[in-house]
Amino acid sequence: MAHRLRPVGPDFVRTAPVRLVFAREVSAAPEPVFRALAEDVTGWTEWFGAVTLARPLDGGAGREIRLRGGARFRETVLVAEEPEVYAYRVDVTNAPGARALVEEWRLVPAGTGTRVRWTFAADGTAPFRLALGAARPGLGQAFRSAVASLDRRLTR
């Protein structure tokens, strides 16, 4: 059953009770990485293996995301500062126990490529927070795999 989460702002990525941060360098420059994240929302299904549906809503101000396993999210874009930061808040989800969630993608030039840092910031019930801690290795692997796939897509 879907439920509404607490509306939080972009600063939540620094204050959330649970913060999972992953980083990886890619050979693609920041601009095409940013465009793939922020402008080609439907393309997420081609490089992020866990994403089965991604579509922009409200003229790009929001997104609908579905993941393998059945998780669903309706999101609001909080920050889209090309080519540095793309962040969104989950407003509605069917994930049990979630109370607030923001994801931030920060892009920093690294030589001729980009250092991609993804912060998954969340609050929720104690079982939800515990489950996120246990999911850290899997989320890290999903991030590394997705970013490697995105890099291959952008540099072919």
Side-chain angles (χ1 to χ4, degrees):
M1 174 181 219
H3 61 280
R4 183 161 294 282
L5 275 58
R6 184 173 80 242
V8 292
D11 59 328
F12 187 69
V13 298
R14 288 176 287 289
T15 62
V18 177
R19 293 178 65 249
L20 306 177
V21 181
F22 308 97
R24 182 174 184 147
E25 288 190 14
V26 297
S27 57
E31 291 80 5
V33 175
F34 181 87
R35 284 191 298 272
L37 291 170
E39 297 170 14
D40 184 17
V41 173
T42 58
W44 282 56
T45 59
E46 297 175 27
W47 58 269
F48 206 124
V51 177
T52 61
L53 174 102
R55 66 180 177 141
L57 301 172
D58 305 322
R63 307 171 356 140
E64 177 185 3
I65 303 292
R66 293 187 184 185
L67 303 179
R68 292 193 196 294
R72 296 185 318 271
F73 306 94
R74 181 175 170 92
E75 304 167 340
T76 296
V77 175
L78 298 173
V79 181
E81 295 176 1
E82 186 173 1
E84 299 164 354
V85 183
Y86 183 60
Y88 43 88
R89 171 187 67 224
V90 174
D91 295 315
V92 177
T93 184
N94 64 342
R99 291 185 182 143
L101 188 117
V102 171
E103 295 180 44
E104 177 189 77
W105 296 78
R106 191 163 288 274
L107 311 174
V108 177
T112 59
T114 306
R115 179 171 175 78
V116 180
R117 187 180 75 201
W118 177 48
T119 302
F120 188 94
D123 188 16
T125 62
F128 176 81
R129 292 191 313 265
L130 186 62
L132 277 182
R136 176 187 279 277
L139 286 169
Q141 178 57 41
F143 165 78
R144 288 186 298 278
S145 176
V147 171
S149 179
L150 176 60
D151 193 37
R152 285 190 302 275
R153 183 175 187 215
L154 295 175
T155 58
R156 42 180 149 143

